[in-house]
Amino acid sequence: MAAILGISAFYHDSAAALVVDGKIIAAAQEERFTRKKHDESFPENAINYCLNEARLTPADLDYVGFYDKPMLKFDRLLQTYTAYAPRGFRSFAKAMPQWLKQKLHLPKEIRKGLGGKFRKRIAFAEHHESHAASAFFPSPFEEAAILTVDGVGEWATASFGTGRGNRIQLTHELRFPHSLGMLYSAMTYYCGFKVNSGEYKLMGLAPYGKPVYFEQILEKLIDLKVDGSFRMDMSYFNYCQGLTMTSSRFHALFGGPPRRPESKLTQREMDLAASVQLVTEEVMLRMARHVHRQTQMKNLCLAGGVALNCVANGRLLREGPFERIWIQPAAGDAGGALGVALFLSHQMLNHERVPNPVLPQAASTLGPEFDRDTIRQHLDSKQAVFTELATNEELCRRVAQLIDQGNVVGWMQGRMEFGPRALGNRSILGDPRNRDMQSKMNLKIKFRESFRPFAPSVLKEHASEYFDFPSDQESPYMLLVADVAEARRLPVETSDSVQGFDLLKQIRSEVPAITHVDNSARLQTVDQDRHPLYHQLISEFHTQTGCPLLINTSFNVRGEPIVCTPEDAYRCFMGTNMDVLVVGQFLLLKVEQPEQPNQINQDYIDQFELD
């Protein structure tokens, strides 16, 4: 037996993953246990969970892998600071203490984190090798091209190559400071959102604007070549030498200082979001076409933080040269933990790799689950009022009725998902036909910005009836955007007088709660193999209402990591205006609870830092 623990940590979204004899056993982000969003600390809790899942101890492990090479990263930092000296001194002074205390001594930190009981080899993969391994090895393909794009690893900010059998080979890379991820993060910062957290908000804001700055970005900020490579004019940015992302020159170019966080969003931010989004899509399309020409592969595997841009992914699928695309569900740094573990298993130890065309990465449900007795014990301890449904048929029938009646349901089942998306195991569900549901869920349950859209979960066999989405394609991890089908849309006023957030008031389709203002939707196709119970629930809703889809948003409030345990789920249920909670076979109605029915627990909301 070869047991390999993969770790990503000390930057953002730390995580652990366990691979035994080439098989993925468990993977989880540390934030789910500590309840701190994007937790960067050593993933002690995630490691303990992974080891417990396999009934192993640190002493039983054969290898521990870390997802990047700290000395290479340190080399990049030193060279960058030297190049910009003395301007980067404040940034240098802020970064160095943690490097000197912790990051330059990772083997010692890892052994300490494992209680001093692991005495075998610790191996390091390069950051983009870990991303590439996470993209290809769990994929359903025997061979594929690989493209990784993110902010930065050691030096690389994007790379491509190929995967065949149990081997990957990266052949080309784009290097820091020229980075598509950094460009997107710089605009995220300038528009008043948090870097490494608010990029998906910028993506959701883009459809409210027009790409009026598209040419300006390409003319001033980024010199884009036909093969997708580019150089950035670093005089517009400050991330190499400062504590901010953008420079005064950037601010002058776009008409003023960065938007203050939480202040009113204006048409400028919407147009900037639309512009940088379009630039990102153009870069990704050019990169993909070049990779296709170079590799002559039919399939493409994607990873890296930019691979979470599902609008760009949707265009790659529709307009790109590849027949099939597989995107790592945990495409960001958390997925690096899984990538390095698989890299060591296949590439270093030569374990056989057998692609699974039906359940690649085990549907990405690799986290903890809780049995009936544990759930009941917790509910009893809270004196909760609940009903236990005897069968899945009875449970799905009852929950489908409640959703049809306009209730919002917290739904916790089985193993927790690995990656940033809730895929039907830790989800909040609602009726997509309900015209008031989008604002109700945003403002009274999620407590987040009103402009943000909700995603649909649709039965795979009905996806092409509701969306412009090929019937032979799938989107099981909610990483592709498609337009709502023309036949499902309703006529709306198209006038220059209706713009910005006024677009939200227009009813655009027969499923308005999941139709964004540009008629798009971030799609999750649901099938019986990956999510049998969730598929059964949506099928029951379809039977009762004729609608084969539900709203699916992550089970949390703004700034809170997705719930992990029954206790997390119950606290979120009781702290918000959620109507119904379902944990396993147990169903709770808010109106029947003895504690604060239909009241918001402000203390609960306030404990999470705004993202």
Side-chain angles (χ1 to χ4, degrees), residues 51-166:
L51 294 177
N52 288 338
E53 192 69 28
R55 299 183 180 179
L56 297 176
T57 70
D60 298 322
L61 293 168
D62 295 286
Y63 291 89
V64 172
F66 193 75
Y67 81 129
D68 67 13
K69 293 187 174 179
M71 294 308 294
L72 275 179
K73 187 170 282 187
F74 192 61
D75 173 62
R76 187 250 298 166
L77 289 178
L78 288 183
Q79 288 199 41
T80 304
Y81 286 134
T82 303
Y84 284 87
R87 283 178 293 161
F89 180 75
R90 283 182 61 204
S91 176
F92 177 82
K94 184 177 181 183
M96 280 307 105
Q98 192 182 13
W99 272 98
L100 296 174
K101 180 181 176 184
Q102 191 174 51
K103 293 180 182 178
L104 287 176
H105 311 285
L106 278 185
K108 179 181 171 186
E109 288 292 318
I110 291 170
R111 293 187 193 284
K112 179 182 164 188
L114 293 171
K117 296 174 183 172
F118 175 73
R119 301 181 186 280
K120 298 177 187 172
R121 182 177 170 187
I122 299 173
F124 297 82
E126 289 194 25
H127 190 92
H128 278 256
E129 279 180 334
S130 296
H131 278 320
S134 78
F136 176 68
F137 289 134
S139 79
F141 307 136
E142 178 60 34
E143 62 176 25
I146 303 170
L147 176 62
T148 65
V149 189
D150 70 357
V152 62
E154 294 88 359
W155 279 101
T157 62
S159 69
F160 78 83
T162 55
R164 289 185 175 88
N166 66 348

Side-chain angles (χ1 to χ4, degrees), residues 6-7 16-19 24 26-27 130 133-134 138 328 334-343 361 366 418:
I7 295 173
L18 183 68
V19 172
I24 304 169
S130 296
S134 78
Q328 164 57 238
L338 178 61
V340 67
L342 291 169
F343 184 82
Q361 199 167 305
L366 299 168
F418 180 53

